Amino acid sequence: MSTETTPGQGILSETKRAERDELIELLTRAYWMEIETVMSYIANSINPDGVRAQEIIESLTEDIQEELAHANQFGQRIKELYGTVPGSMEFTPEQSYLQPPDHQTDIVHVIKGVIEAETGAIEHYNRIIDYTDEIDPVTNDMVIAILRDEEGHRRLFEGFLREYEVEGLA
Ligand SMILES: [Fe+2]
Ligand SMILES: [Fe+2]
């Protein structure tokens, strides 16, 4: 694109090209994390059996919509930064800990997996917030809001785990 049409200042400027490229990489990783979380939460909101599974199923069903919205926000921001949202062939799964358990009544496995996924997101989003702090207030703002959602998700599932720990089941 010609420099005349590029803003002279900020993350969209020509002088910030290297920072922008690195940021797009960070955002692409975040995008994939959200997509994989959607896949994992759909499976884990359907598979579990038993009375105690119902609370987990309801929470994950709500979270799916939030994680999907996050994926969309990351994708939109990638585009705004002149990047391209990747196609599915570039996807590499990482959430080994959120695969279906051997027994569908093993709710503790699901709870611990969700906590691990949320922790990973929290760590990566803190990294993006640090990286954008002085160079991109818009991404910074967006990711701070998303981070709050993830902290809320993690806290909720920590509470579920605590209940099982108190009963000696986790
Ligand atoms: Fe998310
Ligand atoms: Fe989350």
Side-chain angles (χ1 to χ4, degrees):
M1 94 216 35
S2 93
T3 45
E4 297 140 285
T5 59
T6 307
Q9 295 196 330
I11 192 68
L12 297 181
S13 66
E14 196 51 41
T15 52
K16 287 284 192 308
R17 178 182 286 271
E19 288 91 339
R20 203 163 59 232
D21 287 347
E22 191 169 339
L23 178 53
I24 287 169
E25 270 181 43
L26 291 167
L27 292 172
T28 300
R29 174 159 169 70
Y31 171 79
W32 285 132
M33 288 170 85
E34 296 289 351
I35 295 283
E36 186 170 18
T37 297
V38 168
M39 284 195 270
S40 294
Y41 287 8
I42 288 176
N44 285 291
S45 72
I46 294 171
N47 288 331
D49 281 325
V51 177
R52 309 193 68 161
Q54 294 315 304
E55 193 70 38
I56 304 301
I57 287 173
E58 274 173 39
S59 292
L60 286 178
T61 302
E62 271 178 39
D63 286 355
I64 290 163
Q65 298 308 319
E66 285 193 32
E67 311 298 11
L68 192 57
H70 294 161
N72 196 51
Q73 280 180 282
F74 283 118
Q76 295 288 349
R77 192 60 188 151
I78 288 167
K79 177 167 180 163
E80 286 161 5
L81 294 169
Y82 304 129
T84 303
V85 181
S88 58
M89 293 302 284
E90 284 177 53
F91 176 69
T92 310
E94 292 179 354
Q95 293 180 351
S96 54
Y97 47 86
L98 262 176
Q99 302 310 298
D102 295 337
H103 301 286
Q104 298 310 331
T105 52
D106 186 357
I107 306 306
V108 170
H109 169 90
V110 175
I111 295 171
K112 286 182 172 172
V114 169
I115 291 172
E116 191 162 344
E118 298 294 344
T119 302
I122 288 167
E123 288 171 356
H124 186 58
Y125 300 169
N126 269 293
R127 219 170 289 141
I128 299 177
I129 290 165
D130 280 347
Y131 186 75
T132 53
D133 188 36
E134 299 203 330
I135 58 168
D136 181 358
V138 175
T139 300
N140 192 259
D141 223 47
M142 182 188 93
V143 182
I144 287 171
I146 294 174
L147 175 64
R148 186 181 188 180
D149 289 344
E150 312 303 10
E151 287 180 346
H153 296 160
R154 190 182 190 283
R155 181 63 188 86
L156 183 66
F157 277 77
E158 256 180 13
F160 291 146
L161 187 62
R162 213 154 285 170
E163 195 177 291
Y164 284 86
E165 280 168 351
V166 165
E167 295 171 33
L169 298 170

